[in-house]
Amino acid sequence: MRALAPLAWLAVAACLQAGAPAARAAAAAPEPTPAPLPVTQVAPGVWVHTGAVDDWQPRNGGDVANLGFIVGSRCVAVIDSGGTPALGQALRRAVAQATPLPVCYVINTHVHPDHLLGNVAFRSPPSSTPGAEAPRFVGHARLAASIAAREPYYRQALQREFGLTMPATDIVPPTLPVEGSLTLDLGERELRLQAWPTAHTDNDLTVYDVRSRTLFLGDLLFVQHLPVVDGSLNGWLKVMDTLATLDVALAVPGHGAAGTDWPALMAPQRRYLEALRTDTRAAIRAGQPLSKAMTTVGLEAVGPWQLAETFHRRNVTAAYAELEWEE
């Protein structure tokens, strides 16, 4: 190979020197700001993020629950915060993108980790708003005790499944407990919160926006995703009877697509839960052990549902434990 002439070497050196500052600048460039969580304005001032219909897993980043926020003239209420701190941060960025108003309330609909592990992202007021106060965290009167009981297992699951280390202090309990009902004023916008008897869990809370007649149900309503019994099967069906009487223009479930066809939107869930109860009672009367009941109960009812292979046998176990001793 022929050697480069002296002038050619000078040209190469000049190019290298010119490129060095650019390379250093690229190396020193700050990390891009993570994107806000995708949200849709489903009614004026009402925003919803629809999570994946999937189990809480690293493959989806823990993004499986429906989250939302409602904007008043004075401040914002966040409804559930996501399954990881990162999701909470992304939701906080979505709020900031939608409105400059501060978050005054973070409301948790129940204890499950996919709905509340993002709370920590909202614990401090925004640094960009001098004098702003930290939001109040709102939940069912039994939520704090339920968080305390489950917190070690949630942190273990985060470490095992997601590789995340989360201090116990970052799992934020409610500072404003709801027993019965509570109305929150966001400024020209009222939210009516209702704490329910044991149903999906023993700490279910709904949020009703009076202006838009939007009802956030948390996991009192599942769409597409198989309903999961972690409280009382009988209690859940009874709560659904009361929910069906509410004046709702838009229902936001804990999982699956929101809908306007109320109360018909609850019909598939009711069919499944009633079949689960009927078949479990029949298995108990027939003297079937739980091991056999799990292979027979409710099999015809699971067909339309996603994640039945993950949760149906668990539901049969819960139903059997509840109904075995009923009179």
Side-chain angles (χ1 to χ4, degrees):
M1 182 176 69
R2 191 173 65 183
L4 288 174
L7 288 176
W9 279 115
L10 288 173
V12 170
C15 289
L16 289 173
Q17 288 175 353
R24 286 194 297 271
E31 290 291 324
T33 302
L37 200 65
V39 292
T40 300
Q41 189 169 204
V42 296
V46 181
W47 299 79
V48 172
H49 169 75
T50 304
V53 179
D54 199 359
D55 197 7
W56 183 60
Q57 290 290 330
R59 64 176 174 258
N60 49 52
D63 182 11
V64 296
N66 293 345
L67 318 175
F69 58 93
I70 300 175
V71 182
S73 64
R74 180 176 62 85
C75 64
V76 179
V78 168
I79 303 167
D80 286 334
S81 59
T84 66
L87 282 169
Q89 291 287 356
L91 179 58
R92 184 168 182 167
R93 287 189 289 271
V95 174
Q97 188 177 67
T99 176
L101 294 172
V103 173
C104 51
Y105 300 105
V106 176
I107 305 166
N108 291 128
T109 60
H110 64 291
V111 73
H112 288 153
D114 49 326
H115 293 261
L116 61 70
L117 292 184
N119 281 6
V120 64
F122 295 91
R123 189 164 56 185
S124 301
S127 57
S128 59
T129 310
E133 297 181 355
R136 300 187 73 179
F137 291 84
V138 188
H140 193 290
R142 289 195 288 264
L143 179 60
S146 192
I147 288 176
R150 299 178 187 222
E151 162 264 307
Y153 306 103
Y154 289 175
R155 292 192 296 116
Q156 289 170 17
L158 277 171
Q159 181 63 57
R160 181 181 65 249
E161 302 292 342
F162 294 85
L164 297 176
T165 299
M166 191 173 190
T169 53
D170 281 357
I171 301 182
V172 183
T175 56
L176 178 57
V178 181
E179 191 163 0
S181 60
L182 176 70
T183 298
L184 301 178
D185 182 5
L186 307 183
E188 302 177 74
R189 189 157 215 150
E190 284 190 352
L191 305 184
R192 294 178 183 169
L193 279 56
Q194 181 66 48
W196 294 92
T198 301
H200 166 64
T201 68
D202 74 348
N203 49 83
D204 298 306
L205 186 77
T206 54
V207 182
Y208 181 74
D209 174 46
V210 176
R211 181 189 297 181
S212 66
R213 296 164 46 230
T214 299
L215 179 65
F216 285 81
L217 291 115
D219 284 4
L220 286 173
L221 177 63
F222 285 77
V223 175
Q224 301 166 277
H225 183 307
L226 187 80
V228 179
V229 182
D230 193 24
S232 166
L233 177 57
N234 284 330
W236 197 348
L237 285 163
K238 188 177 295 185
V239 164
M240 286 173 62
D241 290 339
T242 305
L243 289 170
T245 67
L246 301 181
D247 177 26
V248 175
L250 178 69
V252 182
H255 301 269
T260 58
D261 191 11
W262 185 263
L265 196 63
M266 286 194 295
Q269 174 172 287
R270 180 179 293 281
R271 285 194 294 270
Y272 171 74
L273 294 178
E274 287 180 343
L276 178 64
R277 181 168 66 180
T278 298
D279 288 3
T280 300
R281 283 172 171 166
I284 292 169
R285 285 195 300 269
Q288 287 186 8
L290 175 59
S291 57
K292 184 176 181 181
M294 284 195 295
T295 67
T296 61
V297 166
L299 293 184
E300 292 185 6
V302 302
W305 296 97
Q306 297 183 44
L307 299 174
E309 69 285 354
T310 304
F311 294 108
H312 178 63
R313 290 168 69 92
R314 169 180 165 177
N315 286 343
V316 175
T317 301
Y320 206 96
E322 177 181 352
L323 302 176
E324 187 174 16
W325 304 109
E326 69 178 355
E327 297 181 1

